[in-house]
Amino acid sequence: MLTSVDRLIFVRGVPIFKELRDDFLVRLASIMDELSFPANHTIFTEGQEGRSLYIVVSGRVRVHIGNQEIVQLDRGTCFGEMSLFDAEPRSASVTTMEPCDCLMLTQQQLYEAIDETPGIAVNIIRLLSRRIRELNQKMNAMRAENQVQPLQPPTQAPLYRPAKLR
């Protein structure tokens, strides 16, 4: 997997961690667990209890509800972050599309890190906010598509018929 230097460089590039100090990133990167998953493996399912965030190091995953795909995520993106804060069941399932390596950060690890550096909480709030906006835009686009009626072919009979002359 990753050396400690590679891990630090990688974590530094993840959007929710970009604004954090290097000393904090070194600590955070060192406590994350490394996990490998085969292709077509369900990392977690909708409704399952979850208390961890995952970061894709390599490979690609799909976030889905049932068979409805929400988004595909690849290197440097994270998923599962909502469960870190609300302790609610997972809102979607995540399945690998190809072999994947991930870093995992647990709720306990994150809370200890936030106690040290509150800025990480702000970054995660920004990420959640952005994802909600993107989902809203996607839903609005879908709604707009469903409201637009396709053009109907013209009928055979004309709408206007001239009066017969006598």
Side-chain angles (χ1 to χ4, degrees):
M1 292 279 261
L2 299 172
T3 67
S4 56
V5 172
D6 290 338
R7 190 187 273 220
L8 173 61
I9 291 168
F10 179 76
V11 170
R12 183 185 291 141
V14 175
I16 62 172
F17 303 127
K18 276 188 177 180
E19 297 174 23
L20 301 178
R21 298 183 329 249
D22 278 347
D23 59 331
F24 176 72
L25 284 175
V26 167
R27 180 182 173 279
L28 189 64
S30 69
I31 62 173
M32 290 182 179
D33 295 321
E34 295 184 46
L35 304 170
S36 293
F37 302 102
N40 299 313
H41 175 81
T42 300
I43 297 174
F44 57 76
T45 57
E46 178 185 3
Q48 191 176 46
E49 182 182 332
R51 299 197 187 279
S52 53
L53 164 144
Y54 296 82
I55 303 168
V56 180
V57 175
S58 66
R60 179 181 289 266
V61 300
R62 66 188 272 273
V63 179
H64 55 98
I65 297 174
N67 291 328
Q68 178 67 44
E69 184 172 290
I70 307 298
V71 68
Q72 291 182 14
L73 303 172
D74 54 17
R75 182 178 171 83
T77 56
C78 62
F79 58 92
E81 64 281 351
M82 288 174 22
S83 70
L84 288 175
F85 293 101
D86 64 11
E88 293 291 321
R90 300 284 190 182
S91 62
S93 299
V94 176
T95 303
T96 60
M97 299 176 71
E98 56 194 61
C100 288
D101 292 323
C102 295
L103 292 174
M104 182 180 73
L105 180 67
T106 66
Q107 185 181 56
Q108 184 62 38
Q109 292 167 328
L110 178 67
Y111 284 2
E112 290 170 6
I114 288 173
D115 283 344
E116 274 184 39
T117 309
I120 191 172
V122 173
N123 289 354
I124 292 173
I125 290 167
R126 285 183 186 141
L127 172 72
L128 291 172
S129 218
R130 186 174 344 138
R131 288 202 175 161
I132 290 169
R133 286 182 194 279
E134 289 169 0
L135 184 58
N136 285 342
Q137 289 171 350
K138 191 174 186 177
M139 288 175 61
N140 286 338
M142 288 172 60
R143 235 182 256 126
E145 284 177 17
N146 290 336
Q147 289 178 355
V148 175
Q149 297 296 320
L151 293 175
Q152 299 295 323
T155 58
Q156 295 298 327
L159 297 174
Y160 169 84
R161 292 186 188 185
K164 290 185 181 177
L165 297 175
R166 291 185 179 193

PDB file of all heavy atoms in Angstrom, residues 5-27:
ATOM      1  N   VAL A   5       5.153   8.615   3.790  1.00  0.00           N
ATOM      2  CA  VAL A   5       5.295   9.860   3.019  1.00  0.00           C
ATOM      3  C   VAL A   5       4.226   9.933   1.932  1.00  0.00           C
ATOM      4  O   VAL A   5       3.577  10.970   1.749  1.00  0.00           O
ATOM      5  CB  VAL A   5       6.715   9.970   2.417  1.00  0.00           C
ATOM      6  CG1 VAL A   5       6.805  11.162   1.463  1.00  0.00           C
ATOM      7  CG2 VAL A   5       7.756  10.077   3.512  1.00  0.00           C
ATOM      8  N   ASP A   6       4.027   8.831   1.197  1.00  0.00           N
ATOM      9  CA  ASP A   6       2.995   8.792   0.154  1.00  0.00           C
ATOM     10  C   ASP A   6       1.612   9.032   0.751  1.00  0.00           C
ATOM     11  O   ASP A   6       0.779   9.720   0.165  1.00  0.00           O
ATOM     12  CB  ASP A   6       3.005   7.439  -0.575  1.00  0.00           C
ATOM     13  CG  ASP A   6       4.226   7.254  -1.454  1.00  0.00           C
ATOM     14  OD1 ASP A   6       4.849   8.265  -1.836  1.00  0.00           O
ATOM     15  OD2 ASP A   6       4.561   6.080  -1.748  1.00  0.00           O
ATOM     16  N   ARG A   7       1.382   8.460   1.894  1.00  0.00           N
ATOM     17  CA  ARG A   7       0.092   8.611   2.570  1.00  0.00           C
ATOM     18  C   ARG A   7      -0.146  10.077   2.928  1.00  0.00           C
ATOM     19  O   ARG A   7      -1.227  10.611   2.699  1.00  0.00           O
ATOM     20  CB  ARG A   7       0.063   7.742   3.825  1.00  0.00           C
ATOM     21  CG  ARG A   7      -1.310   7.651   4.448  1.00  0.00           C
ATOM     22  CD  ARG A   7      -1.219   6.929   5.757  1.00  0.00           C
ATOM     23  NE  ARG A   7      -1.328   5.502   5.576  1.00  0.00           N
ATOM     24  CZ  ARG A   7      -2.006   4.732   6.401  1.00  0.00           C
ATOM     25  NH1 ARG A   7      -2.611   5.230   7.460  1.00  0.00           N
ATOM     26  NH2 ARG A   7      -2.084   3.442   6.200  1.00  0.00           N
ATOM     27  N   LEU A   8       0.872  10.742   3.469  1.00  0.00           N
ATOM     28  CA  LEU A   8       0.755  12.160   3.813  1.00  0.00           C
ATOM     29  C   LEU A   8       0.479  13.004   2.573  1.00  0.00           C
ATOM     30  O   LEU A   8      -0.424  13.848   2.578  1.00  0.00           O
ATOM     31  CB  LEU A   8       2.026  12.659   4.504  1.00  0.00           C
ATOM     32  CG  LEU A   8       2.102  14.165   4.756  1.00  0.00           C
ATOM     33  CD1 LEU A   8       0.969  14.625   5.664  1.00  0.00           C
ATOM     34  CD2 LEU A   8       3.450  14.547   5.327  1.00  0.00           C
ATOM     35  N   ILE A   9       1.220  12.762   1.496  1.00  0.00           N
ATOM     36  CA  ILE A   9       1.022  13.517   0.251  1.00  0.00           C
ATOM     37  C   ILE A   9      -0.381  13.279  -0.280  1.00  0.00           C
ATOM     38  O   ILE A   9      -1.063  14.210  -0.713  1.00  0.00           O
ATOM     39  CB  ILE A   9       2.098  13.123  -0.782  1.00  0.00           C
ATOM     40  CG1 ILE A   9       3.457  13.635  -0.318  1.00  0.00           C
ATOM     41  CG2 ILE A   9       1.756  13.670  -2.158  1.00  0.00           C
ATOM     42  CD1 ILE A   9       4.637  13.076  -1.093  1.00  0.00           C
ATOM     43  N   PHE A  10      -0.834  12.040  -0.233  1.00  0.00           N
ATOM     44  CA  PHE A  10      -2.175  11.721  -0.725  1.00  0.00           C
ATOM     45  C   PHE A  10      -3.255  12.418   0.109  1.00  0.00           C
ATOM     46  O   PHE A  10      -4.140  13.067  -0.434  1.00  0.00           O
ATOM     47  CB  PHE A  10      -2.395  10.200  -0.718  1.00  0.00           C
ATOM     48  CG  PHE A  10      -3.762   9.824  -1.187  1.00  0.00           C
ATOM     49  CD1 PHE A  10      -4.080   9.855  -2.531  1.00  0.00           C
ATOM     50  CD2 PHE A  10      -4.750   9.472  -0.279  1.00  0.00           C
ATOM     51  CE1 PHE A  10      -5.353   9.537  -2.973  1.00  0.00           C
ATOM     52  CE2 PHE A  10      -6.020   9.152  -0.698  1.00  0.00           C
ATOM     53  CZ  PHE A  10      -6.322   9.182  -2.058  1.00  0.00           C
ATOM     54  N   VAL A  11      -3.186  12.292   1.425  1.00  0.00           N
ATOM     55  CA  VAL A  11      -4.202  12.878   2.306  1.00  0.00           C
ATOM     56  C   VAL A  11      -4.222  14.402   2.157  1.00  0.00           C
ATOM     57  O   VAL A  11      -5.276  15.019   2.192  1.00  0.00           O
ATOM     58  CB  VAL A  11      -3.983  12.438   3.777  1.00  0.00           C
ATOM     59  CG1 VAL A  11      -4.862  13.222   4.730  1.00  0.00           C
ATOM     60  CG2 VAL A  11      -4.256  10.944   3.912  1.00  0.00           C
ATOM     61  N   ARG A  12      -3.065  15.005   1.954  1.00  0.00           N
ATOM     62  CA  ARG A  12      -2.982  16.457   1.766  1.00  0.00           C
ATOM     63  C   ARG A  12      -3.812  16.897   0.553  1.00  0.00           C
ATOM     64  O   ARG A  12      -4.347  18.000   0.539  1.00  0.00           O
ATOM     65  CB  ARG A  12      -1.534  16.886   1.591  1.00  0.00           C
ATOM     66  CG  ARG A  12      -1.387  18.399   1.454  1.00  0.00           C
ATOM     67  CD  ARG A  12       0.034  18.824   1.168  1.00  0.00           C
ATOM     68  NE  ARG A  12       0.868  18.604   2.324  1.00  0.00           N
ATOM     69  CZ  ARG A  12       2.123  18.157   2.269  1.00  0.00           C
ATOM     70  NH1 ARG A  12       2.680  17.891   1.113  1.00  0.00           N
ATOM     71  NH2 ARG A  12       2.823  17.990   3.361  1.00  0.00           N
ATOM     72  N   GLY A  13      -3.933  16.044  -0.464  1.00  0.00           N
ATOM     73  CA  GLY A  13      -4.682  16.380  -1.671  1.00  0.00           C
ATOM     74  C   GLY A  13      -6.175  16.149  -1.589  1.00  0.00           C
ATOM     75  O   GLY A  13      -6.919  16.538  -2.489  1.00  0.00           O
ATOM     76  N   VAL A  14      -6.661  15.519  -0.529  1.00  0.00           N
ATOM     77  CA  VAL A  14      -8.094  15.250  -0.379  1.00  0.00           C
ATOM     78  C   VAL A  14      -8.789  16.562   0.038  1.00  0.00           C
ATOM     79  O   VAL A  14      -8.354  17.216   0.984  1.00  0.00           O
ATOM     80  CB  VAL A  14      -8.340  14.133   0.664  1.00  0.00           C
ATOM     81  CG1 VAL A  14      -9.820  13.932   0.921  1.00  0.00           C
ATOM     82  CG2 VAL A  14      -7.692  12.835   0.190  1.00  0.00           C
ATOM     83  N   PRO A  15      -9.842  16.959  -0.683  1.00  0.00           N
ATOM     84  CA  PRO A  15     -10.457  18.272  -0.441  1.00  0.00           C
ATOM     85  C   PRO A  15     -10.789  18.606   1.015  1.00  0.00           C
ATOM     86  O   PRO A  15     -10.541  19.729   1.445  1.00  0.00           O
ATOM     87  CB  PRO A  15     -11.734  18.225  -1.292  1.00  0.00           C
ATOM     88  CG  PRO A  15     -11.380  17.305  -2.411  1.00  0.00           C
ATOM     89  CD  PRO A  15     -10.476  16.266  -1.809  1.00  0.00           C
ATOM     90  N   ILE A  16     -11.298  17.662   1.797  1.00  0.00           N
ATOM     91  CA  ILE A  16     -11.683  18.013   3.170  1.00  0.00           C
ATOM     92  C   ILE A  16     -10.487  18.242   4.080  1.00  0.00           C
ATOM     93  O   ILE A  16     -10.627  18.809   5.157  1.00  0.00           O
ATOM     94  CB  ILE A  16     -12.634  16.978   3.817  1.00  0.00           C
ATOM     95  CG1 ILE A  16     -11.968  15.617   3.930  1.00  0.00           C
ATOM     96  CG2 ILE A  16     -13.941  16.911   3.076  1.00  0.00           C
ATOM     97  CD1 ILE A  16     -12.777  14.622   4.739  1.00  0.00           C
ATOM     98  N   PHE A  17      -9.296  17.825   3.651  1.00  0.00           N
ATOM     99  CA  PHE A  17      -8.109  17.980   4.476  1.00  0.00           C
ATOM    100  C   PHE A  17      -7.141  19.045   3.957  1.00  0.00           C
ATOM    101  O   PHE A  17      -6.121  19.305   4.571  1.00  0.00           O
ATOM    102  CB  PHE A  17      -7.358  16.648   4.585  1.00  0.00           C
ATOM    103  CG  PHE A  17      -8.184  15.525   5.128  1.00  0.00           C
ATOM    104  CD1 PHE A  17      -8.278  14.324   4.447  1.00  0.00           C
ATOM    105  CD2 PHE A  17      -8.883  15.657   6.321  1.00  0.00           C
ATOM    106  CE1 PHE A  17      -9.052  13.280   4.948  1.00  0.00           C
ATOM    107  CE2 PHE A  17      -9.648  14.618   6.829  1.00  0.00           C
ATOM    108  CZ  PHE A  17      -9.728  13.430   6.140  1.00  0.00           C
ATOM    109  N   LYS A  18      -7.454  19.674   2.818  1.00  0.00           N
ATOM    110  CA  LYS A  18      -6.520  20.578   2.151  1.00  0.00           C
ATOM    111  C   LYS A  18      -6.041  21.740   3.012  1.00  0.00           C
ATOM    112  O   LYS A  18      -4.914  22.181   2.882  1.00  0.00           O
ATOM    113  CB  LYS A  18      -7.131  21.125   0.864  1.00  0.00           C
ATOM    114  CG  LYS A  18      -6.955  20.195  -0.301  1.00  0.00           C
ATOM    115  CD  LYS A  18      -7.386  20.829  -1.589  1.00  0.00           C
ATOM    116  CE  LYS A  18      -7.119  19.856  -2.728  1.00  0.00           C
ATOM    117  NZ  LYS A  18      -7.509  20.371  -3.990  1.00  0.00           N
ATOM    118  N   GLU A  19      -6.893  22.276   3.841  1.00  0.00           N
ATOM    119  CA  GLU A  19      -6.532  23.478   4.582  1.00  0.00           C
ATOM    120  C   GLU A  19      -5.905  23.189   5.948  1.00  0.00           C
ATOM    121  O   GLU A  19      -5.678  24.105   6.729  1.00  0.00           O
ATOM    122  CB  GLU A  19      -7.767  24.363   4.757  1.00  0.00           C
ATOM    123  CG  GLU A  19      -8.326  24.850   3.433  1.00  0.00           C
ATOM    124  CD  GLU A  19      -9.634  25.603   3.578  1.00  0.00           C
ATOM    125  OE1 GLU A  19      -9.911  26.131   4.673  1.00  0.00           O
ATOM    126  OE2 GLU A  19     -10.385  25.653   2.594  1.00  0.00           O
ATOM    127  N   LEU A  20      -5.612  21.948   6.223  1.00  0.00           N
ATOM    128  CA  LEU A  20      -5.078  21.595   7.530  1.00  0.00           C
ATOM    129  C   LEU A  20      -3.556  21.680   7.568  1.00  0.00           C
ATOM    130  O   LEU A  20      -2.878  21.480   6.554  1.00  0.00           O
ATOM    131  CB  LEU A  20      -5.534  20.186   7.916  1.00  0.00           C
ATOM    132  CG  LEU A  20      -7.049  19.999   7.989  1.00  0.00           C
ATOM    133  CD1 LEU A  20      -7.365  18.563   8.331  1.00  0.00           C
ATOM    134  CD2 LEU A  20      -7.668  20.946   8.980  1.00  0.00           C
ATOM    135  N   ARG A  21      -3.029  21.957   8.735  1.00  0.00           N
ATOM    136  CA  ARG A  21      -1.581  22.058   8.937  1.00  0.00           C
ATOM    137  C   ARG A  21      -0.925  20.695   8.721  1.00  0.00           C
ATOM    138  O   ARG A  21      -1.512  19.652   8.993  1.00  0.00           O
ATOM    139  CB  ARG A  21      -1.277  22.530  10.360  1.00  0.00           C
ATOM    140  CG  ARG A  21      -1.811  23.887  10.713  1.00  0.00           C
ATOM    141  CD  ARG A  21      -1.387  24.303  12.122  1.00  0.00           C
ATOM    142  NE  ARG A  21      -1.223  23.199  13.059  1.00  0.00           N
ATOM    143  CZ  ARG A  21      -2.034  22.980  14.107  1.00  0.00           C
ATOM    144  NH1 ARG A  21      -3.040  23.792  14.342  1.00  0.00           N
ATOM    145  NH2 ARG A  21      -1.817  21.969  14.917  1.00  0.00           N
ATOM    146  N   ASP A  22       0.330  20.740   8.287  1.00  0.00           N
ATOM    147  CA  ASP A  22       1.063  19.502   8.013  1.00  0.00           C
ATOM    148  C   ASP A  22       1.227  18.625   9.253  1.00  0.00           C
ATOM    149  O   ASP A  22       1.132  17.408   9.160  1.00  0.00           O
ATOM    150  CB  ASP A  22       2.436  19.810   7.411  1.00  0.00           C
ATOM    151  CG  ASP A  22       2.363  20.084   5.914  1.00  0.00           C
ATOM    152  OD1 ASP A  22       1.316  19.804   5.309  1.00  0.00           O
ATOM    153  OD2 ASP A  22       3.363  20.572   5.359  1.00  0.00           O
ATOM    154  N   ASP A  23       1.455  19.234  10.406  1.00  0.00           N
ATOM    155  CA  ASP A  23       1.641  18.415  11.608  1.00  0.00           C
ATOM    156  C   ASP A  23       0.368  17.643  11.939  1.00  0.00           C
ATOM    157  O   ASP A  23       0.416  16.491  12.368  1.00  0.00           O
ATOM    158  CB  ASP A  23       2.104  19.259  12.802  1.00  0.00           C
ATOM    159  CG  ASP A  23       1.136  20.369  13.172  1.00  0.00           C
ATOM    160  OD1 ASP A  23       0.415  20.877  12.284  1.00  0.00           O
ATOM    161  OD2 ASP A  23       1.114  20.743  14.365  1.00  0.00           O
ATOM    162  N   PHE A  24      -0.771  18.255  11.704  1.00  0.00           N
ATOM    163  CA  PHE A  24      -2.027  17.560  11.936  1.00  0.00           C
ATOM    164  C   PHE A  24      -2.233  16.467  10.887  1.00  0.00           C
ATOM    165  O   PHE A  24      -2.662  15.360  11.196  1.00  0.00           O
ATOM    166  CB  PHE A  24      -3.196  18.545  11.918  1.00  0.00           C
ATOM    167  CG  PHE A  24      -4.517  17.861  12.054  1.00  0.00           C
ATOM    168  CD1 PHE A  24      -4.904  17.302  13.256  1.00  0.00           C
ATOM    169  CD2 PHE A  24      -5.357  17.720  10.965  1.00  0.00           C
ATOM    170  CE1 PHE A  24      -6.103  16.627  13.374  1.00  0.00           C
ATOM    171  CE2 PHE A  24      -6.560  17.056  11.079  1.00  0.00           C
ATOM    172  CZ  PHE A  24      -6.927  16.512  12.284  1.00  0.00           C
ATOM    173  N   LEU A  25      -1.916  16.786   9.624  1.00  0.00           N
ATOM    174  CA  LEU A  25      -2.081  15.801   8.553  1.00  0.00           C
ATOM    175  C   LEU A  25      -1.203  14.570   8.777  1.00  0.00           C
ATOM    176  O   LEU A  25      -1.627  13.455   8.489  1.00  0.00           O
ATOM    177  CB  LEU A  25      -1.761  16.428   7.197  1.00  0.00           C
ATOM    178  CG  LEU A  25      -2.836  17.336   6.630  1.00  0.00           C
ATOM    179  CD1 LEU A  25      -2.361  17.991   5.344  1.00  0.00           C
ATOM    180  CD2 LEU A  25      -4.133  16.583   6.383  1.00  0.00           C
ATOM    181  N   VAL A  26       0.001  14.777   9.304  1.00  0.00           N
ATOM    182  CA  VAL A  26       0.886  13.649   9.590  1.00  0.00           C
ATOM    183  C   VAL A  26       0.211  12.716  10.592  1.00  0.00           C
ATOM    184  O   VAL A  26       0.159  11.494  10.400  1.00  0.00           O
ATOM    185  CB  VAL A  26       2.255  14.137  10.137  1.00  0.00           C
ATOM    186  CG1 VAL A  26       3.053  12.982  10.718  1.00  0.00           C
ATOM    187  CG2 VAL A  26       3.040  14.845   9.046  1.00  0.00           C
ATOM    188  N   ARG A  27      -0.356  13.297  11.636  1.00  0.00           N
ATOM    189  CA  ARG A  27      -1.030  12.484  12.661  1.00  0.00           C
ATOM    190  C   ARG A  27      -2.257  11.785  12.079  1.00  0.00           C
ATOM    191  O   ARG A  27      -2.462  10.592  12.271  1.00  0.00           O
ATOM    192  CB  ARG A  27      -1.429  13.360  13.849  1.00  0.00           C
ATOM    193  CG  ARG A  27      -2.127  12.583  14.940  1.00  0.00           C
ATOM    194  CD  ARG A  27      -2.550  13.490  16.099  1.00  0.00           C
ATOM    195  NE  ARG A  27      -3.352  12.751  17.025  1.00  0.00           N
ATOM    196  CZ  ARG A  27      -4.645  12.505  16.874  1.00  0.00           C
ATOM    197  NH1 ARG A  27      -5.292  12.931  15.826  1.00  0.00           N
ATOM    198  NH2 ARG A  27      -5.306  11.824  17.782  1.00  0.00           N
TER     199      ARG A  27
END
